[in-house]
Amino acid sequence: TMVQSTASFTSESLAALKQRYAEAGQGHVFKGFDELDDKTAGEFFGQLSGIEVERVTGFFKNATAAHGQEGGDKIEPLEAGSFASALDSAQADERAQWRAEGMRLIGANKVAVILLAGGQGSRLGSSEPKGCYDIGLPSQSSLFAIQAHRIRRLQQLSGNTATIPWLVMTSGPTSAATQATFAQADYFGLREEDVFFFNQGVLPCFDFDGHILLEQAGRVAVAPNGNGGVYEALRVSGALDWLRERGVEHVHSYCVDNCLVRVADPEFVGYAALRGAECGALVVPKKAWDEPVGVICLRNSRYGVVEYSEISSEMAQLTRDGSGELAYNAGNICNHYYTLDFLQHRVPELEAKFEHHVAKKKIKHVDVESGDLVIPTKPNGIKLERFVFDVFPHVERMAVLEVARNDQFSPLKNAPGSGVDCPETARRDLLAQCVRFAEAAGATIQGAESEPAFEISPLVSYGGEGLESLRGKTLVGDQLITDIASVQTV
């Protein structure tokens, strides 16, 4: 939405815009403006008018000044007793209380879900939005479908009276395709009026000296502003007001690429709500000390995420006293809780305080002097990003909950066949969870040890519930269960 349709302009309005850009040190973008055809010139004028050039140039200056200053931060692990763990069997009673509270809130229409779905499947060899990807399940469900079916099952479990509004954040490249996918799939059985699409913002790309780059004559090079752009995008799109009108008070947010995500997770929502938290995060134990994942910890005594690249291998290998457990073990999985009050009333003032992060990238652009297209082989420019966790240091009451990775986290990042965080591992992890659900209900799965293609639709069971009728039965290993009454037994 940054580029308006052909805006007509007068010589006065053009002169005023040129002056604004010149005063911000960005006058170079108008070189060659007079040679553009009318349509291109109109679109370019519209795009330039839509950029708050003073503000974004300030973002660049502040971000690059702050970049590299992080060295003096005092980093410490989370204190041992400061967060709860669903891995601790002693907490089974508490977990039941959290879940009951989460289901109560869902039943009262107080819970909504934000899906961060800006990514394309480019690394997966697909130009479609990542949520359209089929990881190879018997059902051939896409990530979007799996997640929508979990929402439907929760609505059903809460007595069929509940509605869980679903807010879907797309980016420029994925917006139209995502909305078309939902429409074609009839919103995966959800009601169209319960789904709200909104777009992640974009920011101009800069060279290292802070000049805005053009991707071609008459077009600024822009890039999505990072998943932390969700906060501003929720505000400007009207999404927060929409939730307020519906009486929502609690929001669960997650990333599209996790096939195991418990959408609107009642246990997590209930835990955070009972703690009176304004923000919460799920974490999973790291696979190994050197797994490249950000870790939730304390930075200058405030909550924060320390990236894998920021801590030394000595720090990464530290263990807690008397146990083999890593001190920095709270792997961040982009799975968060917020109160609507926090998003609507606290975050706007906080956002003014946190700087963008600097990402040095290879950016194709036009040299405004020569008009030549520059295709760089090494990073030549800067994209500015915010991260979802930039708010953590400012949170007064934070709720961190550790959960089992094999139950809640299997990200899809890499191309088929890469062996890690790829379609095959996602498929394996989801099917293995279905086997565990059936076994926990007292069933035996034929050939369970050889990874059968055993899938239970989320419409049948969200988290292992509702499978009591399987007790004592031996089930055919390769099957898709869409109706608990017609299960194939041996």
Side-chain angles (χ1 to χ4, degrees):
T1 55
M2 287 295 282
V3 185
Q4 299 156 6
S5 57
T6 36
S8 52
F9 54 90
T10 61
S11 53
E12 292 83 7
S13 62
L14 179 60
L17 191 64
K18 279 185 173 175
Q19 189 179 342
R20 270 183 64 198
Y21 272 75
E23 285 171 1
Q26 304 290 2
H28 64 279
V29 299
F30 285 99
K31 283 212 174 89
F33 188 89
D34 302 336
E35 286 115 70
L36 299 174
D37 63 68
D38 288 353
K39 181 173 183 295
T40 308
E43 287 174 356
F44 193 33
F45 179 87
Q47 185 190 28
L48 292 171
S49 303
I51 294 169
E52 296 176 69
V53 66
E54 304 81 2
R55 188 169 169 238
V56 300
T57 303
F59 287 165
F60 177 88
K61 289 180 176 146
N62 295 342
T64 48
H67 187 60
Q69 302 297 308
E70 299 97 357
D73 288 349
K74 180 169 141 227
I75 308 283
E76 300 167 287
L78 293 179
E79 290 161 25
S82 67
F83 59 94
S85 175
L87 309 182
D88 179 353
S89 52
Q91 285 189 318
D93 291 350
E94 285 183 283
R95 290 182 63 190
Q97 283 169 1
W98 304 335
R99 198 174 307 118
E101 176 64 5
M103 289 308 293
R104 186 187 73 75
L105 292 168
I106 287 169
N109 292 330
K110 301 285 187 204
V111 180
V113 175
I114 298 168
L115 161 57
L116 306 179
Q120 280 172 289
S122 21
R123 279 204 233 167
L124 305 168
S126 158
S127 58
E128 289 189 307
K130 216 176 200 183
C132 297
Y133 199 84
D134 167 6
I135 58 173
L137 297 173
S139 62
Q140 297 178 320
S141 291
S142 66
L143 292 168
F144 283 145
I146 294 166
Q147 293 160 17
H149 290 166
R150 289 190 186 134
I151 292 175
R152 282 173 57 190
R153 174 67 179 164
L154 273 187
Q155 291 180 165
Q156 191 191 356
L157 284 170
S158 62
N160 265 335
T161 51
T163 298
I164 300 172
W166 199 14
L167 298 101
V168 181
M169 183 173 85
T170 54
S171 58
T174 64
S175 175
T178 301
Q179 295 191 48
T181 299
F182 272 66
Q184 281 156 9
D186 204 14
Y187 293 82
F188 306 102
L190 295 165
R191 292 189 315 202
E192 182 179 349
E193 61 266 30
D194 297 333
V195 181
F196 187 108
F197 294 97
F198 66 107
N199 245 348
Q200 180 174 8
V202 293
L203 285 170
C205 302
F206 297 86
D207 69 13
F208 289 142
D209 297 321
H211 298 116
I212 289 175
L213 294 173
L214 301 186
E215 67 175 9
Q216 59 195 56
R219 241 186 112 68
V220 173
V222 296
N225 59 5
N227 61 16
V230 66
Y231 301 115
E232 189 174 26
L234 281 166
R235 271 202 307 283
V236 299
S237 66
L240 296 179
D241 295 327
W242 183 73
L243 291 177
R244 180 69 65 191
E245 280 163 28
R246 297 182 72 132
V248 166
E249 293 171 12
H250 307 269
V251 180
H252 177 230
S253 163
Y254 70 94
C255 199
V256 72
D257 65 6
N258 178 13
C259 69
L260 293 183
V261 63
R262 302 225 167 157
V263 187
D265 186 347
E267 195 168 302
F268 178 32
V269 169
Y271 166 70
L274 287 170
R275 296 280 288 241
E278 53 186 6
C279 179
L282 284 189
V283 296
V284 299
K286 290 177 72 168
K287 274 194 269 205
W289 69 267
D290 57 353
E291 184 187 4
V293 44
V295 168
I296 296 186
C297 62
L298 297 176
R299 187 193 288 269
N300 303 329
S301 306
R302 315 279 305 175
Y303 284 100
V305 170
V306 45
E307 289 296 352
Y308 171 67
S309 53
E310 285 181 81
I311 58 174
S312 66
S313 52
E314 292 78 41
M315 272 176 82
Q317 291 178 73
L318 282 175
T319 53
R320 290 199 186 274
D321 301 340
S323 76
E325 191 196 329
L326 294 172
Y328 292 94
N329 201 33
N332 180 45
I333 59 174
C334 195
N335 190 317
H336 300 131
Y337 161 92
Y338 310 96
T339 62
L340 184 58
D341 283 343
F342 177 72
L343 292 174
Q344 202 161 29
H345 304 311
R346 288 258 295 128
V347 170
E349 54 183 278
L350 299 181
E351 273 200 303
K353 295 182 194 164
F354 48 75
E355 306 305 349
H356 288 74
H357 302 269
V358 169
K360 295 182 176 172
K361 301 281 189 183
K362 294 187 281 211
I363 301 167
K364 276 192 228 175
H365 67 101
V366 168
D367 180 322
V368 289
E369 298 299 335
S370 66
D372 296 338
L373 181 64
V374 179
I375 299 179
T377 53
K378 59 178 196 290
N380 64 320
I382 283 176
K383 294 181 179 179
L384 297 178
E385 298 178 318
R386 281 184 166 156
F387 301 141
V388 166
F389 52 74
D390 288 338
V391 299
F392 288 3
H394 307 282
V395 171
E396 302 298 333
R397 294 183 310 285
M398 181 89 179
V400 177
L401 179 62
E402 180 183 54
V403 294
R405 179 190 286 256
N406 67 350
D407 267 330
Q408 302 219 28
F409 186 57
S410 181
L412 177 58
K413 304 270 186 214
N414 304 317
S418 47
V420 60
D421 296 348
C422 62
E424 293 84 0
T425 57
R427 175 184 184 275
R428 179 199 72 203
D429 291 347
L430 195 149
L431 296 177
Q433 182 181 58
C434 292
V435 169
R436 288 197 305 278
F437 284 166
E439 289 179 340
T444 305
I445 315 299
Q446 194 181 32
E449 61 296 324
S450 52
E451 299 187 2
F454 181 81
E455 183 184 0
I456 301 172
S457 163
L459 294 170
V460 171
S461 184
Y462 174 91
E465 82 296 328
L467 306 177
E468 297 77 15
S469 62
L470 301 182
R471 179 172 302 283
K473 293 181 177 164
T474 301
L475 308 181
V476 172
D478 291 340
Q479 69 170 310
L480 165 63
I481 299 176
T482 53
D483 175 9
I484 199 70
S486 53
V487 174
Q488 299 170 356
T489 54
V490 178

